[in-house]
Amino acid sequence: NNNDNHNHNDKNPNTPPTKPLDTILVVQHEPVYTLGTASDPSFLLHNNSDIPMANIQRGGEITYHGPGQVTLYPILNLQR
């Protein structure tokens, strides 16, 4: 029994090492407008200076993110 290898199944030391699991992060962001590569700050019809704007590298225009809006971020092992 090799206790130094923590990647093995604790119930059976002969089990091969486990691979990292896929993960999904579930979050709610603080209020923010994200501006995609096709957007312009003038597209925002109701500019509330209390909500920051962030330029990001994605397609599209303006998207609001904030409390009450659940956002999912999948983290997947693409090498399987």
Side-chain angles (χ1 to χ4, degrees):
N1 187 356
N2 183 357
N3 291 329
D4 293 334
N5 191 344
H6 56 70
N7 289 329
H8 279 88
N9 183 327
D10 290 337
K11 295 179 184 175
N12 184 350
N14 297 320
T15 302
T18 58
K19 294 182 180 178
L21 299 175
D22 292 338
T23 301
I24 297 178
L25 301 178
V26 180
V27 301
Q28 294 185 63
H29 289 282
E30 294 295 318
V32 64
Y33 290 107
T34 57
L35 285 72
T37 56
S39 67
D40 184 285
S42 68
F43 295 168
L44 188 59
L45 300 177
H46 302 284
N47 189 0
N48 181 341
S49 63
D50 292 341
I51 300 176
M53 288 190 235
N55 292 308
I56 60 171
Q57 295 299 313
R58 65 148 170 80
E61 294 183 2
I62 298 177
T63 304
Y64 171 78
H65 304 280
Q69 179 190 44
V70 175
T71 304
L72 304 176
Y73 293 101
I75 302 171
L76 307 173
N77 180 349
L78 300 177
Q79 295 181 344
R80 284 188 272 156

